[in-house]
mmCIF file of all heavy atoms in Angstrom:
data_model
loop_
_atom_site.group_PDB
_atom_site.id
_atom_site.type_symbol
_atom_site.label_atom_id
_atom_site.label_comp_id
_atom_site.label_asym_id
_atom_site.label_seq_id
_atom_site.Cartn_x
_atom_site.Cartn_y
_atom_site.Cartn_z
ATOM 1 N N PHE P 12 3.886 2.408 15.568
ATOM 2 C CA PHE P 12 3.651 2.466 14.101
ATOM 3 C C PHE P 12 3.887 3.879 13.588
ATOM 4 O O PHE P 12 4.573 4.107 12.577
ATOM 5 C CB PHE P 12 2.240 1.973 13.779
ATOM 6 C CG PHE P 12 1.784 2.276 12.389
ATOM 7 C CD1 PHE P 12 2.499 1.747 11.312
ATOM 8 C CD2 PHE P 12 0.721 3.055 12.124
ATOM 9 C CE1 PHE P 12 2.094 2.016 9.999
ATOM 10 C CE2 PHE P 12 0.309 3.324 10.804
ATOM 11 C CZ PHE P 12 0.987 2.814 9.766
ATOM 12 N N GLY P 13 3.259 4.879 14.198
ATOM 13 C CA GLY P 13 3.330 6.272 13.755
ATOM 14 C C GLY P 13 4.809 6.728 13.675
ATOM 15 O O GLY P 13 5.215 7.313 12.630
ATOM 16 N N ALA P 14 5.556 6.449 14.677
ATOM 17 C CA ALA P 14 7.016 6.835 14.704
ATOM 18 C C ALA P 14 7.789 6.080 13.662
ATOM 19 O O ALA P 14 8.678 6.700 12.988
ATOM 20 C CB ALA P 14 7.577 6.631 16.082
ATOM 21 N N GLU P 15 7.514 4.817 13.497
ATOM 22 C CA GLU P 15 8.260 3.984 12.515
ATOM 23 C C GLU P 15 7.916 4.514 11.097
ATOM 24 O O GLU P 15 8.771 4.627 10.251
ATOM 25 C CB GLU P 15 7.878 2.547 12.594
ATOM 26 C CG GLU P 15 8.339 1.876 13.862
ATOM 27 C CD GLU P 15 9.841 1.617 13.952
ATOM 28 O OE1 GLU P 15 10.536 1.879 12.926
ATOM 29 O OE2 GLU P 15 10.365 1.176 14.967
ATOM 30 N N ALA P 16 6.647 4.781 10.895
ATOM 31 C CA ALA P 16 6.242 5.244 9.529
ATOM 32 C C ALA P 16 6.855 6.606 9.207
ATOM 33 O O ALA P 16 7.339 6.841 8.118
ATOM 34 C CB ALA P 16 4.720 5.341 9.427
ATOM 35 N N GLU P 17 6.863 7.492 10.208
ATOM 36 C CA GLU P 17 7.406 8.848 10.021
ATOM 37 C C GLU P 17 8.907 8.761 9.725
ATOM 38 O O GLU P 17 9.416 9.380 8.799
ATOM 39 C CB GLU P 17 7.179 9.656 11.291
ATOM 40 C CG GLU P 17 7.765 11.076 11.272
ATOM 41 C CD GLU P 17 7.101 11.951 10.182
ATOM 42 O OE1 GLU P 17 5.910 11.829 9.941
ATOM 43 O OE2 GLU P 17 7.791 12.811 9.607
ATOM 44 N N THR P 18 9.642 7.984 10.559
ATOM 45 C CA THR P 18 11.093 7.827 10.333
ATOM 46 C C THR P 18 11.374 7.270 8.976
ATOM 47 O O THR P 18 12.267 7.730 8.237
ATOM 48 C CB THR P 18 11.638 6.941 11.403
ATOM 49 O OG1 THR P 18 11.400 7.529 12.684
ATOM 50 C CG2 THR P 18 13.163 6.775 11.251
ATOM 51 N N PHE P 19 10.576 6.228 8.588
ATOM 52 C CA PHE P 19 10.845 5.573 7.304
ATOM 53 C C PHE P 19 10.586 6.519 6.142
ATOM 54 O O PHE P 19 11.315 6.473 5.138
ATOM 55 C CB PHE P 19 9.920 4.326 7.149
ATOM 56 C CG PHE P 19 10.188 3.515 5.917
ATOM 57 C CD1 PHE P 19 11.239 2.527 5.981
ATOM 58 C CD2 PHE P 19 9.490 3.707 4.788
ATOM 59 C CE1 PHE P 19 11.517 1.825 4.840
ATOM 60 C CE2 PHE P 19 9.794 2.963 3.638
ATOM 61 C CZ PHE P 19 10.808 2.008 3.627
ATOM 62 N N ALA P 20 9.584 7.374 6.256
ATOM 63 C CA ALA P 20 9.150 8.235 5.142
ATOM 64 C C ALA P 20 9.979 9.533 5.066
ATOM 65 O O ALA P 20 9.851 10.254 4.071
ATOM 66 C CB ALA P 20 7.711 8.552 5.187
ATOM 67 N N SER P 21 10.747 9.798 6.095
ATOM 68 C CA SER P 21 11.368 11.177 6.158
ATOM 69 C C SER P 21 12.780 11.182 5.645
ATOM 70 O O SER P 21 13.518 10.164 5.637
ATOM 71 C CB SER P 21 11.363 11.611 7.648
ATOM 72 O OG SER P 21 10.027 11.836 8.030
ATOM 73 N N GLY P 22 13.166 12.367 5.183
ATOM 74 C CA GLY P 22 14.557 12.614 4.710
ATOM 75 C C GLY P 22 14.858 11.935 3.407
ATOM 76 O O GLY P 22 16.062 11.723 3.083
ATOM 77 N N ARG P 23 13.895 11.569 2.675
ATOM 78 C CA ARG P 23 14.163 10.853 1.384
ATOM 79 C C ARG P 23 14.029 11.883 0.220
ATOM 80 O O ARG P 23 12.971 12.421 -0.034
ATOM 81 C CB ARG P 23 13.166 9.708 1.180
ATOM 82 C CG ARG P 23 13.248 8.648 2.287
ATOM 83 C CD ARG P 23 12.576 7.407 1.888
ATOM 84 N NE ARG P 23 12.659 6.445 2.947
ATOM 85 C CZ ARG P 23 13.740 5.685 3.179
ATOM 86 N NH1 ARG P 23 14.814 5.747 2.456
ATOM 87 N NH2 ARG P 23 13.703 4.791 4.198
ATOM 88 N N HIS P 24 15.159 12.092 -0.443
ATOM 89 C CA HIS P 24 15.142 13.063 -1.581
ATOM 90 C C HIS P 24 14.886 12.414 -2.933
ATOM 91 O O HIS P 24 14.615 13.053 -3.906
ATOM 92 C CB HIS P 24 16.493 13.817 -1.651
ATOM 93 C CG HIS P 24 16.652 14.819 -0.564
ATOM 94 N ND1 HIS P 24 16.759 14.480 0.756
ATOM 95 C CD2 HIS P 24 16.638 16.178 -0.588
ATOM 96 C CE1 HIS P 24 16.887 15.590 1.460
ATOM 97 N NE2 HIS P 24 16.814 16.624 0.687
#
Side-chain angles (χ1 to χ4, degrees):
Chain P
F12 169 60
E15 293 287 354
E17 178 65 34
T18 300
F19 186 85
S21 293
R23 300 197 181 279
H24 286 69

